[in-house]
Amino acid sequence: MNLIIEQGNTSSKVAIYNKGKMEASFVYKEFGVSVIAPLMEAYDLTQGILSTVVDTDEELLAFLRSKLRYFVFLNEDVALPVSVQYETPATLGKDRLAAVVGANYLQPGKDILVIDAGTAITYELIEASGIYLGGNISPGMTTRFKALNFFTKKLPLVTEQDNVPMLGTSTETAIQAGVVNGIVYEMDGYIEELRVKYPELLVFLTGGHSFYFERRLKNSIFADINLVLTGLNRILEYNVEN
């Protein structure tokens, strides 16, 4: 059984995979050895991978290495089932990389755009040949709401609502419409522009706000909240196999 750990900016996700299928998943705000130790006792875990975008917890690394038969700490030196053309692999977010691997694993031989709608919104392009070309980063929805409040004197801090108008009729709805509709136009714009070169382009949408934007996009997409975890499991299995 595989232990998959994704440490993000605001929370950590843990998943248990067995023969390529997710058996259980958990989300933690605080994370460390005290969280993982009970899972080690509850599941027969033999292999694991850790991906983190925060500072490395050396105690956690030592614990995982001592408890697992095979362990991968995801960095730029780990072997991958895709070819990476990113010029600065050491600075490439591991969640971005894992999402690309996950999409390529689920839809091999396809040109794919991966959109991750979280704290930041990332856009990643991988060609049908398995070559990851790179991508873009822009502020996420919550980040945009907070920025408008923080960098102005009078704009209030608002949050997303289920129903967002095309044009706001109050300051709050104007912010909501501006942020949400702006992101929708941004996403649809990338999709339409890339489909000029890649007519059969598939689009994966993942991240905490993936389902919020899924029904708002006019383009057909695959929404998969677990895409990064799927990619991490694939990277682990690839390294075990090779």
Side-chain angles (χ1 to χ4, degrees), residues 1 36 55 62 65 67 70 72 84 86 97 99 106 129 145 148 157 178 180 184 190 202 204 207 227-228 230 232:
M1 299 183 78
I36 287 297
D55 292 338
R65 289 188 173 114
K67 295 294 183 180
Y70 192 97
V72 173
V84 177
Y86 206 74
L97 185 59
L106 294 173
S129 60
F145 283 137
L148 286 172
L157 176 62
V180 172
V184 170
Y190 275 115
L202 300 181
F204 275 86
L227 190 61
V228 171
T230 298
L232 290 174

Side-chain angles (χ1 to χ4, degrees), residues 27-44:
V27 179
Y28 303 96
K29 287 297 183 183
E30 302 294 331
F31 193 71
V33 172
S34 62
V35 172
I36 287 297
L39 291 178
M40 290 290 192
E41 296 179 4
Y43 295 92
D44 184 22

Side-chain angles (χ1 to χ4, degrees), residues 195-209:
R195 279 188 173 152
V196 173
K197 182 175 181 180
Y198 304 96
E200 303 301 318
L201 183 76
L202 300 181
V203 181
F204 275 86
L205 181 60
T206 191
H209 286 124

Side-chain angles (χ1 to χ4, degrees), residues 2 47-48 70-72 234-242:
N2 295 346
Q47 303 172 159
Y70 192 97
F71 174 69
V72 173
R234 173 61 186 136
I235 293 171
L236 173 60
E237 292 286 357
Y238 181 79
N239 280 267
V240 172
E241 294 164 3
N242 294 277

